[in-house]
């Protein structure tokens, strides 16, 4: 069988997946933006999972490339809010009833991204009823995050990372550590002696920076389209998203900028 562009990308199946329920013109926009975002998140998980494995294997150059790629993908995700923000309050109100109780809050891929980057909260598992989804997220909570592997690498390079940060319950968020911050201060203070670790630190900061821009874009888009209404998934909407923006993934990498 001849492989064509259409068959290779399975375009008939892909383009048949956008199935608005309300008949409202703008629902196709809403569905397309969210489906495309899930595809980008799938690629982010693919890249970050492999980057984590490379860091654990002391193979930094490809890991840095993969992390840089994710930052570019995040730019695409951020830009998608600009497109969705063309939906007016009246447009959204006309189709909102077709969403039922569904919400982006229930995106298991987004939750897995949060988990792999280190923002872990086992209570979030209760949101997901599908056994396969819960198993995947539970498995992610059991292994070191991307940041955990970065700290393990620092320890292997002889930096004094506290032992309790190397072996711990990875399902829990570790509180910010002055000792870890001091390790990053060594890397930033002597970059030519730790150049690949310095690059790793900056790639991690890039990831956090873009996640925060994505979160802020989400907040402002929701505020623009529905104001301060309760979200379809039962969250407080804008006030909830504002609290999410305050969450940090790699606190020591931000705190060290003050102490340098």
């Amino acid at each position: 069988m001849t492989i064509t562009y259409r068959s290779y990308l399975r375009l008939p199946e892909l383009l048949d997946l956008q199935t608005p329920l309300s008949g409202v013109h703008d629902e196709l926009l809403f569905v397309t933006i969210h489906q495309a975002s899930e595809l980008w998140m799938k690629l982010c998980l693919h890249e970050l999972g492999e980057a984590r494995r490379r860091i654990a294997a002391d193979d930094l150059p490809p890991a840095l490339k993969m992390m840089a790629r994710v930052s570019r993908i995040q730019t695409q995700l951020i830009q998608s809010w600009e497109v969705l923000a063309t939906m007016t309050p009246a447009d959204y109100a006309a189709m909102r009833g077709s969403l039922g109780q569904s919400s982006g809050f229930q995106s298991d891929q987004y939750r897995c991204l949060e988990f792999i980057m280190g923002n872990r909260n086992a209570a979030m598992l209760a949101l997901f009823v599908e056994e396969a989804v819960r198993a995947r997220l539970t498995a992610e909570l059991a292994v070191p995050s991307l940041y955990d592997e970065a700290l393990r690498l620092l320890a292997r390079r002889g930096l004094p990372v506290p032992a309790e940060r190397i072996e711990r319950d990875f399902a829990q968020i570790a509180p910010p550590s002055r000792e870890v911050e001091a390790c990053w201060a060594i890397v930033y203070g002597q970059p030519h002696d730790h150049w690949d670790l310095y690059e790793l630190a900056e790639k991690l900061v890039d990831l956090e920076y873009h996640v925060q821009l994505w979160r802020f874009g989400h907040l402002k888009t929701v505020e623009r389209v529905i104001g301060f209404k309760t979200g379809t998934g039962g969250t407080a909407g804008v006030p909830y998203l504002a609290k999410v923006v305050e969450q940090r993934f790699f606190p020591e990498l931000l705190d060290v900028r003050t102490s340098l």
Side-chain angles (χ1 to χ4, degrees):
M1 178 180 177
T2 301
I3 297 178
T4 67
Y5 176 84
R6 186 173 173 83
S7 65
Y8 176 72
L9 295 178
R10 300 180 63 184
L11 289 184
E13 298 95 327
L14 178 64
L15 298 179
D16 196 40
L17 295 175
Q18 294 74 51
T19 52
L21 301 178
S22 68
V24 174
H25 175 81
D26 278 25
E27 190 177 357
L28 181 59
L29 165 67
F30 190 86
V31 170
T32 301
I33 289 292
H34 286 85
Q35 286 189 347
S37 295
E38 290 290 338
L39 286 173
W40 283 125
M41 284 190 280
K42 179 178 181 178
L43 184 54
C44 286
L45 289 169
H46 175 71
E47 298 292 343
L48 290 180
E50 182 61 20
R52 176 170 55 183
R53 287 188 286 273
R54 297 284 184 147
I55 293 170
D58 291 340
D59 188 13
L60 269 188
L64 297 175
K65 176 185 176 182
M66 293 163 191
M67 293 167 70
R69 177 177 291 164
V70 171
S71 291
R72 300 301 180 272
I73 296 169
Q74 288 173 309
T75 300
Q76 298 294 320
L77 287 165
I78 294 163
Q79 183 61 31
S80 70
W81 294 125
E82 295 289 327
V83 182
L84 189 60
T86 63
M87 177 179 280
T88 68
D91 296 330
Y92 182 70
M95 56 145 285
R96 188 179 189 188
S98 66
L99 298 178
Q101 297 301 310
S102 66
S103 167
F105 189 64
Q106 301 158 351
S107 169
D108 56 281
Q109 288 203 123
Y110 174 73
R111 193 58 53 195
C112 196
L113 273 173
E114 292 255 337
F115 284 1
I116 198 171
M117 288 179 62
N119 186 22
R120 299 183 164 193
N121 181 356
M124 290 297 178
L125 294 176
L127 295 171
F128 306 100
V129 297
E130 298 93 337
E131 184 176 340
V133 171
R134 286 176 65 94
R136 179 188 183 194
L137 293 173
T138 299
E140 177 57 46
L141 286 175
V143 299
S145 70
L146 183 73
Y147 191 50
D148 287 320
E149 289 295 359
L151 296 183
R152 288 179 158 203
L153 177 59
L154 263 61
R156 291 195 297 274
R157 295 290 184 86
L159 293 167
V161 179
E164 61 269 20
R165 286 300 296 269
I166 303 302
E167 298 296 338
R168 63 183 187 84
D169 179 0
F170 296 113
Q172 304 299 318
I173 297 177
S177 164
R178 288 291 187 184
E179 291 84 358
V180 170
E181 182 183 334
C183 292
W184 287 120
I186 293 171
V187 172
Y188 274 94
Q190 304 167 29
H192 293 292
D193 295 332
H194 308 282
W195 190 256
D196 58 348
L197 297 180
Y198 176 76
E199 285 190 285
L200 174 61
E202 286 297 282
K203 290 296 185 292
L204 288 168
V205 172
D206 282 345
L207 290 176
E208 170 138 354
Y209 173 75
H210 285 95
V211 168
Q212 296 293 39
L213 288 180
W214 184 90
R215 287 170 165 177
F216 186 73
H218 188 190
L219 163 66
K220 300 308 289 187
T221 301
V222 170
E223 183 180 68
R224 175 173 178 163
V225 175
I226 70 169
F228 287 81
K229 293 185 179 73
T230 301
T232 50
T235 70
V238 168
Y240 168 77
L241 295 173
K243 291 180 180 178
V244 170
V245 171
E246 297 174 358
Q247 297 172 355
R248 300 190 298 171
F249 291 94
F250 319 126
E252 295 91 355
L253 278 171
L254 299 178
D255 292 340
V256 74
R257 283 155 162 74
T258 304
S259 62
L260 285 174

